[in-house]
């Protein structure tokens, strides 16, 4: 690990797959890091062939090459936070867990990516146990949506305060230090996210935004949290600010014209002009 030298711009690493359309995965993560004042790095765990409508192919990176990417990065660059996204199999999960224990970054945000917006499965079912046993205990913040929380816990997680609070508590007991159970897959005009720090629950409601352009929402939120954790005093503060950023990116998503299915968020909504000059 390189020496820890104080610096104002954090270096944040995404470990995830590549979406060539740029709406999710490492490309979306690096956009998010940049928009929120962090320098982005990326270690590639999978290549995908996908667009806004479907995933048509996945090539998983060899575990030893992912290990080489991580050790090479950590040997030279001070990584202040890590965001973990798509890890398709147990061998890749093991490589990442071992690297985190070896290099000990201060913050780890785990987005348990299991199913794409198109419905295509991205995490093999047999790898769920490895994710729970090896990565959950290393997570500063775990950010499952309702179906992902259900997969991790082995039972249906009900939408709403009571169900999401119970799921957050169970996931915390599995080892994650902070848990954000997201309600975006729920119904109704209001979505509810529930944050649990091990002692207190915080309920975060928001108006559901009417748009089909929500591809990569989970990737973007977890990356925003990772970018902000080194820049904020408290985890809850980083989570709330990251969530506000994502809601604004969804609200501005229709300004983009990317694909005919579930399009991406507008990661640079706060930096680009609203309309061409």
């Amino acid at each position: 690990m390189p020496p820890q030298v104080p610096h104002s711009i954090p270096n944040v690493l995404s470990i995830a797959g590549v979406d060539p359309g740029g709406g999710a995965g490492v490309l979306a993560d690096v956009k998010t890091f940049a928009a929120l004042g962090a320098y982005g790095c990326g270690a590639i765990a999978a290549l995908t062939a996908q667009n806004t409508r479907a995933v048509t192919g996945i090539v998983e990176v060899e575990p030893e090459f992912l290990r080489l990417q991580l050790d090479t990065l950590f040997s030279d660059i001070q990584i202040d936070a890590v965001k973990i996204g798509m890890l398709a199999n147990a061998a890749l999960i093991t490589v990442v867990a071992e690297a985190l224990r070896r290099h000990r970054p201060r913050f780890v945000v785990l987005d348990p990516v299991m199913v794409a917006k198109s419905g295509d499965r991205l995490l093999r079912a047999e790898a769920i146990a490895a994710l729970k046993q090896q990565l959950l205990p290393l997570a500063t913040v775990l950010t499952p949506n309702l179906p992902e929380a259900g997969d991790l816990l082995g039972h249906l997680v009900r939408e709403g305060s009571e169900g999401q609070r119970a799921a957050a508590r169970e996931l915390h007991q599995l080892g994650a230090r902070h848990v954000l159970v997201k309600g975006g897959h729920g119904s109704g005009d209001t979505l509810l996210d529930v944050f649990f720090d091990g002692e207190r629950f915080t309920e975060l409601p928001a108006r559901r935004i009417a748009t089909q352009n929500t591809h990569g929402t989970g990737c973007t939120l977890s990356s925003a949290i990772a970018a902000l954790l080194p820049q904020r005093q408290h985890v809850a503060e980083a989570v709330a600010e990251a969530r506000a950023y994502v809601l604004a990116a969804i609200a501005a998503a229709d300004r983009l014209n990317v694909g005919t299915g579930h399009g991406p968020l507008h990661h640079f909504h706060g930096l680009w002009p609203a309309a061409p000059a």
Side-chain angles (χ1 to χ4, degrees):
M1 181 185 297
Q4 300 292 301
V5 178
H7 61 291
S8 58
I9 298 175
N11 301 319
V12 185
L13 169 63
S14 168
I15 308 171
V18 173
D19 166 12
V26 170
L27 294 178
D29 296 347
V30 171
K31 293 175 190 176
T32 303
F33 298 157
L36 294 174
Y39 179 84
C41 305
I44 308 304
L47 305 175
T48 73
Q50 67 175 292
N51 53 29
T52 63
R53 296 177 309 213
V55 178
T56 59
I58 298 174
V59 175
E60 298 163 10
V61 168
E62 288 293 326
E64 282 305 314
F65 188 67
L66 179 57
R67 187 191 313 276
L68 181 60
Q69 290 181 72
L70 294 173
D71 286 346
T72 301
L73 274 171
F74 276 103
S75 70
D76 178 51
I77 299 172
Q78 179 181 324
I79 300 297
D80 299 291
V82 173
K83 171 264 170 75
I84 303 169
M86 176 188 174
L87 298 174
N89 61 54
L92 293 170
I93 289 168
T94 297
V95 163
V96 172
E98 289 174 349
L100 294 178
R101 288 192 289 266
R102 210 163 38 246
H103 300 292
R104 294 176 295 176
R106 183 180 176 193
F107 300 109
V108 175
V109 180
L110 175 58
D111 180 18
V113 176
M114 297 179 177
V115 180
K117 186 70 68 178
S118 60
D120 299 278
R121 189 154 194 97
L122 300 176
L123 174 71
R124 295 181 186 177
E126 62 269 22
I128 294 175
L131 189 75
K132 291 167 61 176
Q133 294 165 9
Q134 298 192 58
L135 286 181
L136 256 67
L138 301 176
T140 310
V141 184
L142 174 69
T143 64
N145 58 34
L146 294 172
E148 290 163 349
D151 276 357
L152 289 170
L153 294 172
H155 63 74
L156 179 70
V157 173
R158 291 183 292 108
E159 175 189 4
S161 175
E162 184 178 346
Q164 289 175 239
R165 281 180 177 233
R169 189 181 293 280
E170 284 187 77
L171 291 166
H172 179 266
Q173 290 170 350
L174 291 177
R177 276 174 276 168
H178 304 80
V179 181
L180 180 69
V181 178
K182 303 174 297 186
H185 281 67
S187 58
D189 294 334
T190 301
L191 67 85
L192 176 68
D193 296 341
V194 173
F195 177 70
F196 183 54
D197 66 2
E199 296 181 359
R200 293 174 297 278
F201 290 97
T202 303
E203 296 193 358
L204 302 165
R207 177 179 61 84
R208 196 177 298 276
I209 299 166
T211 178
Q212 71 171 3
N213 296 325
T214 55
H215 178 51
T217 303
C219 299
T220 300
L221 178 58
S222 54
S223 296
I225 294 170
L228 290 168
L229 280 171
Q231 303 182 70
R232 301 294 180 265
Q233 286 192 322
H234 304 291
V235 173
E237 182 184 2
V239 168
E241 189 171 333
R243 192 169 171 275
Y245 163 80
V246 171
L247 289 169
I250 295 172
D254 291 350
R255 285 160 48 185
L256 300 175
N257 181 21
V258 182
T260 58
H262 292 287
L265 315 189
H266 192 339
H267 295 93
F268 297 116
H269 60 273
L271 300 172
W272 292 359

